[in-house]
Amino acid sequence: MRDYLQRIADRDSLSKKEIQEAMNNLFSENTTDSEIAAFMIGLKTKGETVDEIVGIVEALRANALTYHSEISQVIDNCGTGGDGSKSFNISTTSAFVMAGAGLKVAKHGNRSITSKTGSADVLEYLGVNLDLNPDISLQILKDVGITFLFAPYVHPNIKRIMKVRKDLRIPTVFNLIGPLTNPVDLDFQLLGIYRRDLIEMFAEVLKSLGRKRAVVLNGAGFMDEASLAGENHLAILDDGKIQYRVLHPEELGFSIYSNEAIKGGDRKENAEALLSVLKGKKGAHRDIVLLNAGIGIFTGGIASSIEDGIKLASESINSGAAMEKLEKLIENSHAGKTEVI
């Protein structure tokens, strides 16, 4: 580990294989918390490369629980967090709309870290059982079309790494890669990121990770979601090529709302906001979900454009399909005897 730390300190980038070996050292009990911290800070100071990020992600996935599945055409729409917007759970709500439109959604998430209420917090409040082993999670994905993968169960070996990350109290690459560590082999991904300067890099990362189509976006006000407040910056990966688009809500027929209009609260308040959207209540909450779900539906390949994706998102809500996905996820997560990990 000392050799890798010295090279990083000398601003020498590591190959994908080397960064994977360094990461495997982080899982060892012989590696100290100080060495883990030095690794994080050293990479941040040097600046991470695409190969280094891909290597870190692959090492984390290799040390996670195994999710073997023949299910294909699966998408996740998790954001990095860290944008300080304190919004309600937009991507979680959007996931049910995407599933209601026909996508297979493997939603990877956690309790609150940088926000007030994480996806796991709000889903638990709504009645979703989080204590599911891989086989049950994948069966739910197959039967319902949406499943939730609770990050602490998926990644039981990284508790010490995450503790050091929190103790540092400054953002590192580990604040950005959570959405990339979904253990299911994804074909599609919608990734919201709070740093606009990293859109291009993370599109390249998703390309290296084998996504068929992906969208990396940063919203107005530097949200890790598409915003109704102004310009949204997107990098669109499709068939190995990356294109860039600036998307304004008005060009899609939406009214302008400030980011204050979609602020959330505790898990009860956010659950109520989620339910109000799925029940069809109109306003800023519905519109921002339509925008994000529409981009997700386009990303998943069942709409030829974002505009068509938004139409399918609206149909998913209006038909009751999105709400039905939530109800079935709650029911199936409690069916039979589930094995707590």
Side-chain angles (χ1 to χ4, degrees), residues 63-214:
N63 282 277
L65 296 183
T66 302
Y67 285 69
H68 289 304
S69 172
E70 69 278 359
I71 304 171
S72 61
Q73 307 298 97
V74 180
I75 189 170
D76 189 8
N77 68 325
C78 186
T80 61
D83 61 9
S85 68
K86 296 182 173 60
S87 62
F88 79 103
N89 299 91
I90 297 167
S91 64
T92 305
T93 311
S94 299
F96 293 106
V97 179
M98 291 160 56
L103 291 177
K104 295 285 188 182
V105 183
K107 187 77 177 77
H108 184 231
N110 205 342
R111 297 194 186 279
S112 173
I113 296 177
T114 58
S115 62
K116 194 169 183 180
T117 305
S119 54
D121 299 310
V122 73
L123 290 177
E124 185 178 55
Y125 181 84
L126 288 166
V128 175
N129 177 21
L130 306 180
D131 300 336
L132 304 173
N133 68 28
D135 289 342
I136 293 173
S137 294
L138 290 173
Q139 189 63 47
I140 291 172
L141 177 61
K142 183 178 180 180
D143 294 343
V144 179
I146 182 170
T147 195
F148 184 72
L149 307 169
F150 188 34
Y153 290 155
V154 171
H155 305 282
N157 299 321
I158 64 169
K159 292 179 180 178
R160 196 157 63 100
I161 296 174
M162 291 300 100
K163 177 184 180 299
V164 172
R165 170 197 153 184
K166 290 180 181 179
D167 289 345
L168 283 175
R169 297 186 181 181
I170 59 172
T172 69
V173 69
F174 286 85
N175 293 73
L176 296 165
I177 61 174
L180 305 178
T181 62
N182 191 317
V184 174
D185 291 326
L186 302 174
D187 291 297
F188 312 111
Q189 186 153 10
L190 172 58
L191 171 63
I193 188 167
Y194 72 92
R195 285 184 56 182
R196 190 167 295 172
D197 60 312
L198 294 180
I199 289 176
E200 180 178 358
M201 172 179 278
F202 273 73
E204 292 287 352
V205 168
L206 289 172
K207 178 180 176 180
S208 294
L209 290 171
R211 304 294 187 262
K212 293 178 181 177
R213 180 185 279 179

Side-chain angles (χ1 to χ4, degrees), residues 10-74:
D10 292 338
R11 298 182 182 272
D12 183 10
S13 294
L14 304 182
S15 69
K16 186 167 74 168
K17 182 179 179 180
E18 289 170 335
I19 201 81
Q20 288 173 333
E21 291 175 352
M23 279 296 300
N24 286 333
N25 286 332
L26 297 193
F27 290 104
S28 169
E29 293 182 358
N30 295 326
T31 302
T32 67
D33 287 359
S34 296
E35 287 175 318
I36 296 173
F39 179 78
M40 294 182 183
I41 297 298
L43 281 176
K44 178 182 176 67
T45 303
K46 177 188 73 65
E48 302 87 356
T49 66
V50 169
D51 279 350
E52 286 173 337
I53 295 173
V54 171
I56 291 170
V57 169
E58 290 182 347
L60 288 170
R61 293 184 76 234
N63 282 277
L65 296 183
T66 302
Y67 285 69
H68 289 304
S69 172
E70 69 278 359
I71 304 171
S72 61
Q73 307 298 97
V74 180

Side-chain angles (χ1 to χ4, degrees), residues 189-192 206 213-217 234-237 295 298-299:
Q189 186 153 10
L190 172 58
L191 171 63
L206 289 172
R213 180 185 279 179
V215 172
V216 183
L217 65 81
L234 284 67
I236 302 170
L237 168 68
I295 296 172
F298 162 73
T299 305

